[in-house]
Amino acid sequence: MEERFARHWGLIDVERLHLTPIKVIGTGSVGSFTTLSLVKMGAHQIEVWDDDLIDEVNISNQFYRIMDIGEYKVDALQSLINDFEGVTIINHPAKHNGSQDLNGIVIVALDSMLPRKRIWDSIKGKENVELFIDPRMGGRVARIYAVNPRNGIKEYEKTLYTDDESAPERCTERTIIYNVLGISSLICKLIEDHFRTPVEGCQEIILDYATYTLMKC
């Protein structure tokens, strides 16, 4: 393992990352590239959920190939990760409804708020979840929340809203690849930071490509 990760061995605790359970719920744009990035950093205990099939419209902003169209995203992602990295992730071609046990680091990369809230309700206050990451994207802007599920509850829950309250976006302005990659890289950096100094409360990162702004709150 040391030779494979020699270029970033001094930047992140690869041994800890290798052993830490990571749950990725939603393997669309952010979820698929985040999974790939984490495996390339050294993560091996990854479990993913998604019940969506790959459509042609997904190819421009998700880690999938033309030949994967029509396949379950999690099935194609498992195959791609194995081909690229020789690592087998656990895949579930189903929605995570909040009832399945979660532990380690939980990343909720979903489009809607209702299932995000259900998952949050299922893990908040639990000792076996060390970090909850909630990326939200719209066009060229993103907000990423890193939450300690034991002491960041009230602060994080202020950011939750219903799907009816979310601002509607034109279907042609929802996502673009550079924003997806930027979000994925920031999620990886948040995990690196958490290994050095565990997250307390709720941290927010705002990424705005329209103004070239990156801000941590």
Side-chain angles (χ1 to χ4, degrees):
M1 183 186 291
E2 290 189 18
E3 183 177 355
R4 181 169 183 176
F5 300 107
R7 296 297 176 91
H8 64 252
W9 192 265
L11 297 174
I12 190 168
D13 187 341
V14 177
E15 290 184 346
R16 179 177 172 184
L17 183 62
H18 182 78
L19 297 173
T20 298
I22 299 177
K23 317 296 184 179
V24 181
I25 302 167
T27 58
S29 52
V30 172
S32 61
F33 280 107
T34 297
T35 301
L36 171 67
S37 300
L38 288 171
V39 173
K40 282 188 171 291
M41 286 171 63
H44 280 199
Q45 311 300 320
I46 297 183
E47 197 166 353
V48 298
W49 283 262
D50 201 313
D51 69 337
D52 281 349
L53 301 176
I54 299 166
D55 189 270
E56 186 174 357
V57 73
N58 302 138
I59 300 301
S60 66
N61 53 61
Q62 301 183 17
F63 179 50
Y64 299 114
R65 305 162 296 189
I66 293 289
M67 63 182 286
D68 296 323
I69 291 174
E71 299 291 328
Y72 279 106
K73 290 180 179 179
V74 292
D75 289 345
L77 185 59
Q78 183 187 57
S79 176
L80 283 161
I81 294 295
N82 191 271
D83 286 348
F84 272 73
E85 298 299 317
V87 172
T88 300
I89 62 174
I90 300 173
N91 62 322
H92 302 278
K95 291 181 179 179
H96 192 292
N97 58 22
S99 64
Q100 300 96 324
D101 285 338
L102 297 171
N103 63 331
I105 295 172
V106 178
I107 302 167
V108 179
L110 298 170
D111 293 332
S112 58
M113 295 299 294
L114 182 58
R116 178 184 274 106
K117 187 177 185 303
R118 285 177 182 158
I119 293 161
W120 165 251
D121 287 341
S122 75
I123 64 99
K124 66 180 180 181
K126 291 191 174 180
E127 293 291 333
N128 62 345
V129 176
E130 61 178 276
L131 181 63
F132 179 82
I133 299 178
D134 171 7
R136 305 177 193 176
M137 173 175 58
R140 298 185 181 90
V141 180
R143 292 177 183 269
I144 307 167
Y145 297 94
V147 190
N148 183 317
R150 291 172 299 284
N151 58 37
I153 295 174
K154 289 184 179 180
E155 196 175 355
Y156 172 69
E157 289 184 346
K158 291 177 183 177
T159 75
L160 296 174
Y161 48 84
T162 67
D163 289 312
D164 290 338
E165 293 171 322
S166 62
E169 296 170 341
R170 294 172 59 184
C171 63
T172 57
E173 296 179 356
R174 289 181 182 172
T175 182
I176 191 165
I177 189 65
Y178 57 74
N179 198 9
V180 171
L181 297 175
I183 296 168
S184 299
S185 68
L186 287 171
I187 291 172
C188 293
K189 182 62 168 62
L190 282 167
I191 293 173
E192 176 194 318
D193 291 347
H194 171 72
F195 282 0
R196 289 199 182 95
T197 305
V199 169
E200 294 296 330
C202 175
Q203 298 178 359
E204 179 185 26
I205 292 179
I206 301 171
L207 176 64
D208 188 345
Y209 281 98
T211 59
Y212 292 93
T213 301
L214 177 61
M215 181 170 59
K216 184 176 181 181
C217 306

